[in-house]
Amino acid sequence: GAALSAWLMVVASRRVRVRGGAEAAALMGACSLWSLLYAVQMILVDQFWKQLIDNLTFVGILAVPAAWFALSLRYTCRGQWLYKGRQWLLAIEPVLVLAAVMTNPLHWLFYTRAEMIQIGAFVYLHLEHGPLFWIHSIYSYSLLLAATFNLLRFWGKSPAIYRRQINILMIGALIPWVM
């Protein structure tokens, strides 16, 4: 996952002048970071390091919904919303959530409990979700759904060449929903 996402980020970053290229590169970079850090977290056995890497994984996790939403806007020619100095609005929730994740031991509102669990040869970090986690999840899934519906709406109005491209985007977007 991380290597494929990194390769797609490089490919997209070479096409930043193409509509949606920069947003696709950001999306793939976030997915790559998320996958890589998750893999690192899975091989660690010390709770401090597992939790630190899990927290850092949120940099990638938090960027994915905003990048997917921005990509859908730019690709469907609705990117003028982003050009009017409003793109920073997509960073508010991720910055606040990252602060909540990093300071969780002070308030326990994002995760209410963290413990290590061993199952066979693997040691897992078990985290119980708190109210801020669920608020973040609702926001993130709302952005993901809005972006997906935006692409579906554009698909119906597009010539065949764009429909094939949107089909590929939609297949990529649906894989995490069904797995």
Side-chain angles (χ1 to χ4, degrees):
L4 177 60
S5 298
W7 177 73
L8 290 171
M9 178 190 66
V10 170
V11 169
S13 67
R14 293 182 181 159
R15 292 170 175 81
V16 292
R17 295 183 192 265
V18 175
R19 184 177 64 202
E23 293 78 14
L27 176 62
M28 292 297 97
C31 289
S32 181
L33 180 65
W34 181 356
S35 298
L36 176 65
L37 290 176
Y38 181 74
V40 169
Q41 188 256 19
M42 290 302 292
I43 62 172
L44 296 171
V45 293
D46 181 75
Q47 184 169 353
F48 171 81
W49 292 108
K50 269 182 134 20
Q51 209 150 1
L52 177 64
I53 297 301
D54 185 73
N55 290 351
L56 293 175
T57 302
F58 266 87
V59 174
I61 292 170
L62 294 167
V64 167
W68 177 240
F69 184 71
L71 172 60
S72 82
L73 288 177
R74 193 83 72 203
Y75 187 82
T76 60
C77 303
R78 301 178 81 195
Q80 68 275 11
W81 185 86
L82 297 171
Y83 287 124
K84 296 183 178 181
R86 294 186 211 128
Q87 67 270 21
W88 67 270
L89 292 171
L90 290 174
I92 294 172
E93 190 267 353
V95 167
L96 292 174
V97 169
L98 189 59
V101 167
M102 295 299 193
T103 61
N104 192 66
L106 300 175
H107 50 73
W108 295 99
L109 291 172
F110 200 81
Y111 296 122
T112 58
R113 194 166 101 185
E115 64 182 343
M116 300 294 281
I117 297 176
Q118 185 162 355
I119 301 173
F122 290 99
V123 178
Y124 295 95
L125 177 62
H126 175 72
L127 301 165
E128 291 187 12
H129 304 122
L132 291 182
F133 174 88
W134 295 112
I135 292 168
H136 154 70
S137 295
I138 291 167
Y139 173 81
S140 293
Y141 281 106
S142 297
L143 268 187
L144 293 169
L145 282 172
T148 303
F149 285 130
N150 190 33
L151 285 169
L152 286 172
R153 188 174 54 238
F154 188 68
W155 183 89
K157 302 174 186 177
S158 300
I161 188 168
Y162 290 116
R163 285 185 181 184
R164 282 188 291 256
Q165 292 173 356
I166 294 171
N167 287 342
I168 293 168
L169 285 171
M170 296 308 294
I171 289 168
L174 291 176
I175 290 171
W177 290 93
V178 296
M179 295 189 95

